[in-house]
Amino acid sequence: MLFLFSASLVSSDCSARCASAARGGSMLVHLLILSTAFAAANTGKHGGVEVPEFGEPITNLTVPIGRDATFECIVVNLGNYRVGWVKADTKAIQAIHEHVITHNPRVSVSHSDHSTWYLHIKSVQEEDRGQYMCQINTDPMKSQMGFLDVVIPPDFIPEETSGDTMVPEGGTARVSCRARGVPPPRVMWKREDGQEIVVRDQTGAKSKVSAYQGEVLKLTKISRSEMGTYLCIAGNGVPPTVSKRIHISVHFHPVIQVPNQLVGAPLGTDVTLECYVESSPKSINYWVKDPGELIIPSDHHEMTVRQKSMFEAEMTMTIKNIRREDLGSYICVAKNSLGDVESKIRLYEIPGNDRHAYQYPDIRITSDDEYGTDSYDDEDSENDSTKTNRVPDRANKWYSNDGKIMVANINSAPTVSCLSIVTTALVSKVLF
């Protein structure tokens, strides 16, 4: 009988692998093992030993790189025959029966009751991928194969993946994220804040998506609301899924919005001036008293800047215990590398400034003559230093004598009429 391992596979493998081993003396041991196998196989055959069969097919394996893999080969009625393992694509003998032939230190064999034979591969690498054959040295040879697939979790390619980027408002932001792995990973984009991504097609039509599929994300005609951190997520079913944070900054000239350009309050009370700033990069914000006196934070001038978003801020200044010299125009200023902007707020006095002298339920009826009916003119007031800062007809805020805001945004006659009606009703109730 021809012994399979020596007649075919050993000869093909010895051309490269066994030559060096023979020079070291280790191949001699293997040849002695093979000769013993010849005799045992022939004796078993001629003695009428039942021919062995495979109990069940070999299971294909899918193993992440770096993990261990084990093939199982079940043989029934092995008798004196031998089991061998061969890597089919390279025809390299891995092991014969209980002896490892390959010089790969990660390969080992074991068996259970001469019926279940195992091929172990520790810490599998990409080169271990392929077909593995379990052979029985019958005549003719019997064999079956199992496939080892080595999968690799996704990983980003640094030189082909974007970092944080900056683009002017209205421009185009293009960021890419390329990943490798086995099988090839899929890449998608999400916003870290959970907002939708605005994408535009070639015609300029705009749409919003919660996730965008593709390695390249292109944001055209970008606006400040699209500024933020974007997550590039790559996955191929092999854990772990990986992600990368890419921040897109949208730069633009500062903008200031003032909710109340005219603010009135009695002397001796506190008043707060407000300005809302949008800028990117972040601006330097400060207050100036017209015509150009920089205001320093103090117990009399309390200043705060509250960041509402990456590009929005609310700047406030509270003037404590208003004095007559505090009346006039205040300017809020915002500056960044792209420019600066400012806006003016006019602070004027509301009559009846002694809030502590007011006693309830005494009600003082004030005639219209005490306030006057002249309309407010910015230019005239600036040119005539003798005119007062009392401008109730264009007040945006009214304060009561206890310092609390009584009515805000009084700009129309119907609202003033409502106040008159309420005042008249209260007077009637007290007098009658």
Side-chain angles (χ1 to χ4, degrees):
M1 167 189 287
L2 289 178
F3 189 70
L4 171 65
F5 305 123
S6 61
S8 59
L9 298 177
V10 171
S11 62
S12 62
D13 187 55
C14 280
S15 60
R17 299 176 179 267
C18 297
S20 60
R23 287 193 296 270
S26 62
M27 193 59 193
L28 180 59
V29 176
H30 298 314
L31 292 177
L32 291 174
I33 295 170
L34 291 177
S35 64
T36 304
F38 276 124
N42 289 332
T43 301
K45 179 68 176 177
H46 294 301
V49 176
E50 190 175 353
V51 177
E53 300 286 346
F54 290 113
E56 59 184 60
I58 295 179
T59 302
N60 294 329
L61 302 178
T62 299
V63 180
I65 191 169
R67 300 291 183 86
D68 297 343
T70 299
F71 282 108
E72 180 183 82
C73 184
I74 299 176
V75 181
V76 179
N77 300 321
L78 181 60
N80 292 326
Y81 290 93
R82 298 293 184 261
V83 173
W85 291 94
V86 178
K87 194 168 189 299
D89 52 356
T90 61
K91 296 183 174 60
I93 299 176
Q94 304 297 297
I96 297 175
H97 219 56
E98 298 178 353
H99 304 280
V100 176
I101 303 300
T102 180
H103 296 290
N104 187 344
R106 297 182 290 107
V107 174
S108 62
V109 291
S110 65
H111 64 88
S112 175
D113 297 330
H114 284 77
S115 61
T116 306
W117 297 80
Y118 301 99
L119 175 68
H120 308 282
I121 307 174
K122 292 184 178 180
S123 184
V124 297
Q125 304 299 314
E126 283 192 80
E127 59 266 23
D128 297 326
R129 183 185 293 111
Q131 295 277 1
Y132 287 80
M133 180 186 297
C134 175
Q135 294 182 346
I136 306 174
N137 63 328
T138 55
D139 187 12
M141 173 196 70
K142 291 185 178 182
S143 67
Q144 60 177 358
M145 288 192 293
F147 186 81
L148 173 61
D149 189 14
V150 181
V151 294
I152 304 174
D155 184 30
F156 292 114
I157 305 173
E159 58 271 17
E160 298 183 37
T161 299
S162 302
D164 294 346
T165 186
M166 183 277 293
V167 62
E169 189 168 35
T172 298
R174 186 182 185 277
V175 287
S176 62
C177 203
R178 303 192 187 277
R180 57 195 166 202
V182 179
R186 297 179 62 185
V187 176
M188 69 175 179
W189 297 83
K190 288 185 176 182
R191 288 189 62 164
E192 189 177 52
D193 58 7
Q195 298 294 318
E196 292 182 311
I197 298 176
V198 180
V199 293
R200 293 175 174 85
D201 59 21
Q202 295 180 349
T203 64
K206 182 172 67 173
S207 61
K208 294 183 178 181
V209 295
S210 58
Y212 178 79
Q213 301 286 341
E215 293 183 332
V216 178
L217 176 64
K218 186 178 181 181
L219 304 174
T220 59
K221 298 182 180 178
I222 194 169
S223 66
R224 62 192 67 179
S225 62
E226 296 173 70
M227 175 169 27
T229 300
Y230 289 73
L231 296 177
C232 165
I233 305 170
N236 64 352
V238 182
T241 298
V242 293
S243 64
K244 179 178 174 62
R245 301 171 74 252
I246 298 177
H247 187 80
I248 299 178
S249 299
V250 180
H251 286 188
F252 56 91
H253 191 284
V255 177
I256 288 183
Q257 294 181 349
V258 177
N260 298 293
Q261 290 185 317
L262 289 173
V263 178
L267 297 179
T269 61
D270 300 344
V271 67
T272 298
L273 309 181
E274 300 172 322
C275 288
Y276 295 95
V277 179
E278 294 184 5
S279 64
S280 179
K282 289 182 180 179
S283 57
I284 299 173
N285 307 314
Y286 58 92
W287 292 88
V288 173
K289 176 76 183 298
D290 203 18
E293 177 188 355
L294 179 65
I295 302 175
I296 306 299
S298 64
D299 292 339
H300 188 56
H301 297 97
E302 293 184 356
M303 302 179 191
T304 62
V305 177
R306 184 172 67 91
Q307 201 69 31
K308 301 176 65 178
S309 70
M310 282 180 291
F311 61 90
E312 295 174 298
E314 176 186 11
M315 55 184 297
T316 63
M317 179 175 66
T318 300
I319 306 174
K320 299 284 189 177
N321 192 23
I322 300 173
R323 302 186 291 262
R324 188 167 299 279
E325 56 267 27
D326 294 323
L327 303 177
S329 295
Y330 291 84
I331 302 171
C332 53
V333 183
K335 289 186 177 182
N336 70 4
S337 58
L338 300 180
D340 60 85
V341 65
E342 62 183 41
S343 189
K344 184 180 292 187
I345 301 176
R346 179 80 172 178
L347 175 62
Y348 60 88
E349 177 193 355
I350 293 178
N353 57 320
D354 189 0
R355 56 180 176 176
H356 301 292
Y358 193 79
Q359 300 291 329
Y360 292 97
D362 297 335
I363 297 178
R364 175 173 174 267
I365 302 176
T366 305
S367 65
D368 293 338
D369 294 337
E370 294 183 54
Y371 290 115
T373 57
D374 294 339
S375 61
Y376 177 78
D377 187 351
D378 286 336
E379 295 182 359
D380 292 341
S381 64
E382 292 175 358
N383 296 332
D384 188 356
S385 59
T386 63
K387 290 189 177 181
T388 178
N389 283 315
R390 300 177 180 178
V391 195
D393 293 321
R394 291 186 58 187
N396 292 83
K397 292 184 178 179
W398 287 82
Y399 287 76
S400 64
N401 279 345
D402 60 359
K404 296 180 180 179
I405 297 177
M406 184 170 65
V407 178
N409 296 325
I410 302 177
N411 294 316
S412 61
T415 307
V416 176
S417 300
C418 292
L419 281 175
S420 301
I421 293 171
V422 173
T423 304
T424 304
L426 185 59
V427 171
S428 300
K429 182 177 180 181
V430 174
L431 296 180
F432 302 101

